[in-house]
Amino acid sequence: MKNEKKPQIPLVWQAEPSKAVSDALSPHNRAVVDEFARLIKAGARETVIKAVRRLPPPVMVELFVHLPLKRARKLTSWLDKPQLRVIAELNPSFRAALLDDVAVQRLVDVLDGFEPEEAADALDDLPEELAEQALPRLREREAIESLRSYGEESAGSIMSRKFVAVPLDWTVGQVAAEIRSNAEAIEKLYAVNVVDSEQRPVGYLRLRDLLLSPPETPVRAVMQTDFVAVGPDTDQEAVAQLADRYELSVVPVVDGDGRLIGRITPKQLRRVLREEAEEDLNLMSGLPADSRPDQSIRRIVRGRIPWLLVGLAGASLSAAVVGAFEEQLAQAAILASFIPIVMSMAGNAGIQAATVAVQGLTSGTVTFADLGWRLAKELAAAFVNGAIAAAVLIVLVLVVAQFIVIESPVILALTAGLALLSVILVAVTVGATIPILLERVGIDPAMATGVFITTGNDILSVALFFLLMMSFYL
Amino acid sequence: MKNEKKPQIPLVWQAEPSKAVSDALSPHNRAVVDEFARLIKAGARETVIKAVRRLPPPVMVELFVHLPLKRARKLTSWLDKPQLRVIAELNPSFRAALLDDVAVQRLVDVLDGFEPEEAADALDDLPEELAEQALPRLREREAIESLRSYGEESAGSIMSRKFVAVPLDWTVGQVAAEIRSNAEAIEKLYAVNVVDSEQRPVGYLRLRDLLLSPPETPVRAVMQTDFVAVGPDTDQEAVAQLADRYELSVVPVVDGDGRLIGRITPKQLRRVLREEAEEDLNLMSGLPADSRPDQSIRRIVRGRIPWLLVGLAGASLSAAVVGAFEEQLAQAAILASFIPIVMSMAGNAGIQAATVAVQGLTSGTVTFADLGWRLAKELAAAFVNGAIAAAVLIVLVLVVAQFIVIESPVILALTAGLALLSVILVAVTVGATIPILLERVGIDPAMATGVFITTGNDILSVALFFLLMMSFYL
């Protein structure tokens, strides 16, 4: 303590309840973060711990998010167990970055404060070795291992095994008493499940029904019966879609015999939504589904090289196509200038069409049955766009021909324009159909949309361009 | 009724509560959908309406989603007002597709069954003209217009103006009585806001606190005080991030004087998450943020042509670069074969790096402060990947040289390899830094990542390739 500089500003987070707090930090709070960062860097452990203890949990989350990662890691190593609980609230990628080089015992301290499904999640995001070391020492080891035994991204692996279920023949008063007597254990209460004698769900009680009904009301009379449940093997994406469609906050999970075994909480549902969106984006960009900015260099290399090599194989085919027209190129080297144009336009037009198709497949607005109709519409739009782009290109070539010597510039311009239009039509056809066809045969369309469609369109566009040039220009 | 064929199968949805319902329809339910589709096509209005009336709302949603769009539209035109309510539960894109050519009066019937914020949303997704015609006839016109008066994608435009707020000096018993007496009006109850005499929020009561506390407990004693609120102008993405960070199910909205004016419901929060993910994907693919598969050809054209023309402008610069080396190409036409390779590898490597950066910026794991460190890591990985790809390319060129005549194949192979490595390093630098720099100056990094980075990398890669070839090969 002796060597600690006195804090420059009082470490008080400004959060007047009557003020709107937006995502941006207020200048005051920015200064608080900077002061914390300075004190952490200076090693002023006791001052920092004392100050952090005064912060309400959401403010601690805010502090963690805004501290530089290095300082946040240091803070993690200093905090008391109860305060470490807030780490469960952090964004999973950020949390993994924070924990991935922490000491094993500290990791155990952190995870022991989590709900089992949160701990299972967090372990999934950590390096295998670290997870293996921490797991046997965890307090809720058994529950966590059971969650981890379900397939990755399955309902079973993300469910919470804590829920409230009451028998069908109870009254509202009995339910309220039961909840009251278990108040300690029930941290988050969203709904009360009603089950039959076999522990199979038959309905649920909304909290408002409990509040609004006289105690002697039979559960049977006020429970909601229109509900859905999922099996533990249901894919998490399907769970999120179901929740969305039925406007569920919580999704019950039942085993093969229909017995209630868990529930998926709103927090987990939101996490799934975010994760699935990230996965789609990653797959479309030729990245592994789970790639994150904080990965080690080795993981970055391993994640990206497969798609780069697939891309290289495809590009070599494009190169072979160009090579096949070497004679024509020697005759008119200017043709090479058009290679970047047809390739990049095919790429852009193809990705536009593919992205719309992928999003439509995800949201359910595009189905296999629509294929023909969608393609017709896409092609009509591509024809207009292609014609506009072709017109621009024709003018461009004619203008350039005023300044440099080009043989038969008008024919070249018209042929290039025709080539551009054809290339865009082909690229849009590929982009609009491939995702739908892949979904049909059970492959994630997002994966294909990235490197495959782009590479395919590269090859097609170069071939088409040279064939048209040979037919009309040379 | 006379001409109606008798239904082939009973129109009963199979949803035993003890069975897990996954996203896939059971064969039985598939048959029910088909039967509905057939009856709708046959114009069997009364049979259909009678059968639909028996379905619980979630099953109606399911039916709508699985019917072909044309049949779902017809069904929309037939249903009674109370049944039309389920349309609010449909995915927004699908809902817009369903409603965008409905008669105005029918649209009014549909929207009158929605909550005002749902109606405002739905209107936003519909063609301007149709929305303008329907708006004046809506029952809750005033509330809807007030929501629409806030900026697009602002907290104000997505909030619900219905909420429960109680004074600070009440007891739990008074709150429960108040809720009971308003039971009809309160459809969804998530939390009870506690406000001071100025209507400014000072805390909130969780439903479990209400259930668990004796009636005479003062609200003050059990309310939660750690909460955040947003202003009506806060961007919806920031609202969703806040909700995530603080694990909020509902986010209160306060006006400039700190008075409670609304709340953002869990349903809206999930919608925002989905919408923002779609927007990012669209922007990265050179599409307008709100593009949808069901748009008219005119809107498709208008949405896509700007980016195609930007791409064309960029590609013309690449073409100019190639043109500048026409002499070298005439000398060695084989060089043209490498254009597709360097362009496509630059594109793939650049997009991989950019996507990781964009995702990191969204989740908060990447910040401007990390720029140097991140770039170092990206470059280290790019060096390894580039070296691997270069090695493959070198071998490839040497193998090809066994079959066709190439001048100084070893120098060509080595120079091409060096070019590929350099191009990948440059592309990754561009991809990893541009999104972070754009975010810093307040531009959505997703937007830039698509056409800009790809086009920029095309130009750089072609220029770099020819410069290296001139230096070492020619």
Side-chain angles (χ1 to χ4, degrees):
Chain A
M1 278 291 281
K2 322 171 207 103
N3 290 327
E4 288 180 17
K5 245 209 271 173
K6 222 179 148 251
Q8 302 293 307
I9 49 157
L11 289 176
V12 173
W13 202 272
Q14 180 179 306
E16 294 173 40
S18 63
K19 273 263 178 60
V21 180
S22 97
D23 189 47
L25 284 186
S26 71
H28 173 82
N29 289 348
R30 180 84 259 171
V32 175
V33 170
D34 292 344
E35 183 58 21
F36 265 112
R38 198 189 62 73
L39 286 168
I40 293 168
K41 191 178 175 191
R45 182 169 174 153
E46 288 183 44
T47 312
V48 169
I49 293 181
K50 237 170 85 186
V52 169
R53 254 187 225 132
R54 287 204 311 266
L55 300 176
V59 171
M60 282 179 60
V61 172
E62 200 83 358
L63 176 64
F64 263 106
V65 169
H66 287 98
L67 277 176
L69 185 59
K70 227 164 133 185
R71 310 287 168 246
R73 280 182 168 154
K74 177 65 95 179
L75 183 58
T76 307
S77 72
W78 285 353
L79 288 184
D80 306 334
K81 275 197 195 185
Q83 293 162 0
L84 289 171
R85 171 79 186 87
V86 300
I87 291 176
E89 311 304 329
L90 297 173
N91 171 295
S93 319
F94 184 73
R95 185 177 62 198
L98 199 64
L99 294 178
D100 71 1
D101 73 340
V102 90
V104 175
Q105 186 49 49
R106 178 89 314 205
L107 180 60
V108 171
D109 290 345
V110 172
L111 297 183
D112 273 347
F114 286 20
E115 295 294 324
E117 74 274 17
E118 291 171 342
D121 256 7
L123 285 172
D124 275 346
D125 289 338
L126 290 174
E128 191 97 4
E129 204 187 335
L130 186 60
E132 291 301 322
Q133 287 177 309
L135 189 54
R137 305 204 213 164
L138 293 176
R139 204 161 29 78
E140 302 228 47
R141 172 197 178 152
E142 209 178 316
I144 296 167
E145 278 182 337
S146 136
L147 291 169
R148 281 165 64 93
S149 73
Y150 292 106
E152 224 179 306
E153 308 204 338
S154 69
S157 74
I158 59 169
M159 73 185 179
S160 160
R161 305 207 303 177
K162 291 182 189 160
F163 55 85
V164 183
V166 298
L168 191 51
D169 52 10
W170 278 22
T171 64
V172 166
Q174 281 175 294
V175 174
E178 170 75 13
I179 293 176
R180 235 166 260 137
S181 71
N182 281 300
E184 300 272 302
I186 306 167
E187 208 192 327
K188 297 262 167 189
L189 188 60
Y190 302 102
V192 175
N193 297 285
V194 182
V195 292
D196 65 12
S197 57
E198 310 278 318
Q199 186 72 7
R200 288 186 302 231
V202 290
Y204 66 97
L205 292 166
R206 296 175 301 179
L207 297 187
R208 64 179 290 259
D209 298 327
L210 288 178
L211 279 173
L212 299 178
S213 315
E216 63 281 7
T217 318
V219 159
R220 199 186 286 275
V222 286
M223 74 177 185
Q224 307 287 315
T225 54
D226 52 339
F227 72 98
V228 287
V230 296
D233 298 322
T234 309
D235 186 79
Q236 64 174 17
E237 189 166 14
V239 175
Q241 275 173 354
L242 263 188
D244 218 46
R245 186 167 297 163
Y246 291 85
E247 206 184 331
L248 305 172
S249 323
V250 190
V251 181
V253 183
V254 297
D255 68 12
D257 301 323
R259 280 190 291 266
L260 193 62
I261 55 171
R263 58 166 187 174
I264 296 165
T265 64
K267 189 185 172 190
Q268 293 288 58
L269 285 175
R270 277 210 303 252
R271 198 183 58 72
V272 169
L273 270 186
R274 210 178 274 285
E275 218 173 89
E276 294 292 332
E278 278 185 14
E279 278 185 23
D280 274 4
L281 201 51
N282 281 336
L283 291 176
M284 287 185 67
S285 305
L287 292 165
D290 62 348
S291 62
R292 290 198 320 262
D294 52 291
Q295 279 169 334
S296 68
I297 293 172
R298 216 170 110 198
R299 286 199 63 183
I300 299 178
V301 168
R302 275 213 304 237
R304 298 191 194 172
I305 193 71
W307 287 114
L308 285 178
L309 292 180
V310 169
L312 183 57
S316 302
L317 291 180
S318 304
V321 171
V322 175
F325 294 96
E326 201 176 336
E327 211 175 298
Q328 284 77 14
L329 275 167
Q331 194 181 334
I334 191 164
L335 292 187
S337 292
F338 291 94
I339 299 176
I341 295 182
V342 293
M343 275 181 65
S344 106
M345 294 303 281
N348 291 339
I351 284 182
Q352 286 179 334
T355 301
V356 170
V358 169
Q359 304 247 37
L361 289 166
T362 306
S363 69
T365 30
V366 170
T367 62
F368 184 72
D370 302 328
L371 187 55
W373 180 70
R374 275 198 50 70
L375 190 57
K377 214 157 84 166
E378 281 281 352
L379 280 176
F383 189 83
V384 178
N385 281 340
I388 296 173
V392 172
L393 183 63
I394 289 170
V395 172
L396 208 64
V397 173
L398 293 177
V399 169
V400 170
Q402 304 302 309
F403 300 98
I404 65 168
V405 182
I406 297 178
E407 218 173 307
S408 356
V410 176
I411 301 181
L412 178 65
L414 291 177
T415 312
L418 177 65
L420 187 55
L421 172 60
S422 322
V423 157
I424 289 178
L425 287 173
V426 169
V428 164
T429 305
V430 171
T433 49
I434 298 290
I436 299 178
L437 295 179
L438 286 174
E439 166 98 353
R440 182 73 172 183
V441 296
I443 299 175
D444 189 333
M447 182 148 94
T449 301
V451 176
F452 280 132
I453 288 186
T454 312
T455 305
N457 278 337
D458 280 353
I459 302 171
L460 288 173
S461 61
V462 172
L464 203 55
F465 168 74
F466 277 105
L467 287 175
L468 286 170
M469 280 295 159
M470 259 182 67
S471 312
F472 297 109
Y473 181 61
L474 293 173
Chain B
M1 275 294 279
K2 324 173 205 97
N3 291 327
E4 287 181 16
K5 244 207 276 173
K6 221 178 149 250
Q8 302 294 307
I9 48 158
L11 288 175
V12 172
W13 202 272
Q14 179 178 307
E16 294 173 40
S18 63
K19 272 266 178 60
V21 180
S22 98
D23 189 48
L25 284 185
S26 71
H28 173 81
N29 289 348
R30 180 82 261 172
V32 174
V33 170
D34 291 344
E35 182 59 19
F36 265 112
R38 197 188 63 72
L39 287 168
I40 293 169
K41 191 177 175 190
R45 183 170 173 151
E46 287 183 47
T47 311
V48 169
I49 293 181
K50 237 170 84 186
V52 168
R53 252 189 226 131
R54 286 204 311 266
L55 300 176
V59 171
M60 282 180 60
V61 172
E62 201 82 0
L63 175 64
F64 263 106
V65 169
H66 288 97
L67 277 176
L69 185 59
K70 228 164 133 184
R71 309 290 166 246
R73 280 184 169 150
K74 178 65 96 182
L75 182 58
T76 308
S77 72
W78 284 353
L79 289 184
D80 305 335
K81 276 199 196 185
Q83 293 161 0
L84 290 170
R85 171 78 188 89
V86 300
I87 292 176
E89 311 304 329
L90 297 173
N91 172 295
S93 319
F94 183 73
R95 186 177 60 198
L98 199 63
L99 294 178
D100 72 359
D101 73 340
V102 90
V104 176
Q105 187 48 50
R106 177 93 308 209
L107 179 60
V108 171
D109 290 345
V110 172
L111 297 182
D112 272 347
F114 286 19
E115 295 295 324
E117 74 274 16
E118 290 171 343
D121 257 8
L123 285 173
D124 275 347
D125 289 338
L126 290 174
E128 190 97 2
E129 206 186 333
L130 186 60
E132 291 301 321
Q133 287 178 309
L135 189 55
R137 306 205 212 162
L138 294 175
R139 204 161 28 77
E140 302 228 48
R141 172 197 177 153
E142 210 177 314
I144 295 167
E145 278 183 337
S146 137
L147 291 169
R148 282 166 63 94
S149 74
Y150 292 105
E152 223 180 306
E153 309 205 336
S154 69
S157 73
I158 58 168
M159 73 186 181
S160 159
R161 304 207 305 175
K162 291 183 189 158
F163 53 85
V164 184
V166 299
L168 191 51
D169 52 10
W170 278 22
T171 63
V172 166
Q174 282 176 294
V175 175
E178 170 74 13
I179 293 175
R180 236 165 259 138
S181 71
N182 281 299
E184 300 272 302
I186 305 167
E187 207 193 327
K188 297 263 167 188
L189 188 61
Y190 302 103
V192 174
N193 297 284
V194 182
V195 293
D196 66 12
S197 57
E198 309 279 316
Q199 186 72 7
R200 288 187 303 232
V202 291
Y204 66 96
L205 292 167
R206 297 176 300 179
L207 297 187
R208 65 181 287 261
D209 299 327
L210 287 178
L211 279 174
L212 300 178
S213 315
E216 64 280 8
T217 318
V219 160
R220 199 186 286 273
V222 287
M223 74 178 185
Q224 307 286 315
T225 55
D226 51 338
F227 72 98
V228 287
V230 296
D233 299 322
T234 308
D235 185 80
Q236 65 174 15
E237 188 167 15
V239 175
Q241 275 174 355
L242 263 187
D244 218 44
R245 188 168 297 161
Y246 291 85
E247 206 184 331
L248 305 172
S249 323
V250 190
V251 180
V253 183
V254 298
D255 68 11
D257 300 324
R259 280 189 291 265
L260 193 62
I261 55 172
R263 59 167 187 173
I264 296 165
T265 64
K267 187 185 173 191
Q268 293 288 58
L269 285 175
R270 276 210 302 252
R271 199 183 56 74
V272 169
L273 270 186
R274 210 177 273 284
E275 217 173 272
E276 293 293 329
E278 276 184 15
E279 278 185 22
D280 274 5
L281 202 51
N282 281 336
L283 291 176
M284 287 186 68
S285 305
L287 293 164
D290 62 347
S291 61
R292 291 198 319 263
D294 52 292
Q295 280 169 333
S296 67
I297 294 172
R298 215 169 110 198
R299 286 200 63 182
I300 299 178
V301 169
R302 275 213 307 238
R304 298 190 193 174
I305 192 72
W307 286 113
L308 286 178
L309 292 181
V310 169
L312 183 56
S316 302
L317 290 180
S318 304
V321 171
V322 175
F325 294 96
E326 201 178 333
E327 211 175 297
Q328 284 77 16
L329 275 167
Q331 198 181 329
I334 191 164
L335 293 188
S337 292
F338 291 94
I339 299 177
I341 295 182
V342 293
M343 276 180 65
S344 106
M345 293 304 279
N348 291 340
I351 284 182
Q352 285 179 335
T355 300
V356 171
V358 168
Q359 304 247 38
L361 289 167
T362 306
S363 69
T365 29
V366 170
T367 62
F368 184 72
D370 302 328
L371 186 55
W373 181 71
R374 273 198 53 70
L375 189 57
K377 215 157 83 167
E378 282 281 352
L379 281 176
F383 188 83
V384 178
N385 281 341
I388 296 173
V392 172
L393 183 61
I394 289 170
V395 172
L396 208 63
V397 173
L398 292 177
V399 169
V400 169
Q402 304 302 308
F403 301 99
I404 65 168
V405 182
I406 298 178
E407 217 174 303
S408 357
V410 177
I411 301 181
L412 177 66
L414 291 176
T415 312
L418 177 65
L420 187 55
L421 172 60
S422 321
V423 156
I424 289 178
L425 287 173
V426 169
V428 165
T429 306
V430 170
T433 49
I434 299 288
I436 299 178
L437 295 178
L438 285 173
E439 166 97 352
R440 182 73 172 182
V441 297
I443 299 175
D444 189 333
M447 181 148 94
T449 300
V451 177
F452 280 131
I453 289 185
T454 311
T455 306
N457 277 337
D458 280 353
I459 302 171
L460 287 173
S461 61
V462 172
L464 204 55
F465 168 74
F466 277 106
L467 287 175
L468 286 170
M469 280 295 160
M470 259 182 69
S471 310
F472 297 110
Y473 180 61
L474 294 173

